[in-house]
Amino acid sequence: APARGGDDARAALESCVALALCLDVANANPADGLTTEEMRPYVAHALARPGDWLVHAAALFQRATLESASAYSADRAALQLEALAAAHATSSTPDAAAAAARRVAFCAAVAYPSTWELDGAVAAAMLRLGCFATAAERYAALGEWDRVAECYAASGKRELALDVLERELGKTPDAPRLLVCLGELKDDGDLLERAWAASNGRDWRAARALGRR
């Protein structure tokens, strides 16, 4: 049952501890199904007593992240992430009386993403579901043009993907991520070498693409 009155702070603190233990499980174990199942009870505990808006939102985000890994719950996870992103953008909350000061009371105690990270999570979730147009729109708003091009290419719009990459490379000719994406679309090793050189040998995408050739 939801916490009431003076129990709100205690419930929120307990939820923070549960979410911290959940992240500890994730950090100390490989990313596989068993680890996911070990994390679920902590998230369920955090969701059982919504004493604070931000803490509850962090628990919802963690649950959506876990659910997005399963084909059976990926669509629900994407909708949850979209709802959280909308709440971030409009400053609407499930608790209409939640003041800004109250909403940030536990901001240092939970791992809640920024607006941009949330939008990126929504875009990635939509991409996994095959909603390429929606994902491309989200990535475009974030300025992640290599991801936009990948969405277009995945949906069969190769020419549009090339147009986006060439347009953005006209603005930033030595952007490694754009060069890698263009190199992979054109199967051009010279572009991949150029991306690797532009990143001073640090871009993992360029290294991976070169290793696959």
Side-chain angles (χ1 to χ4, degrees), residues 1-13 49-52 95 102 106:
R4 297 180 181 277
D7 290 338
D8 283 358
R10 183 188 304 169
L13 187 57
R49 302 185 66 196
D52 178 83
D95 180 4
R102 178 183 170 193
F106 292 91

Side-chain angles (χ1 to χ4, degrees), residues 50-73:
D52 178 83
W53 179 84
L54 184 62
V55 177
H56 189 64
L60 290 173
F61 176 78
Q62 187 60 63
R63 184 178 69 180
T65 301
L66 295 177
E67 290 183 341
S68 65
S70 170
Y72 299 103
S73 55

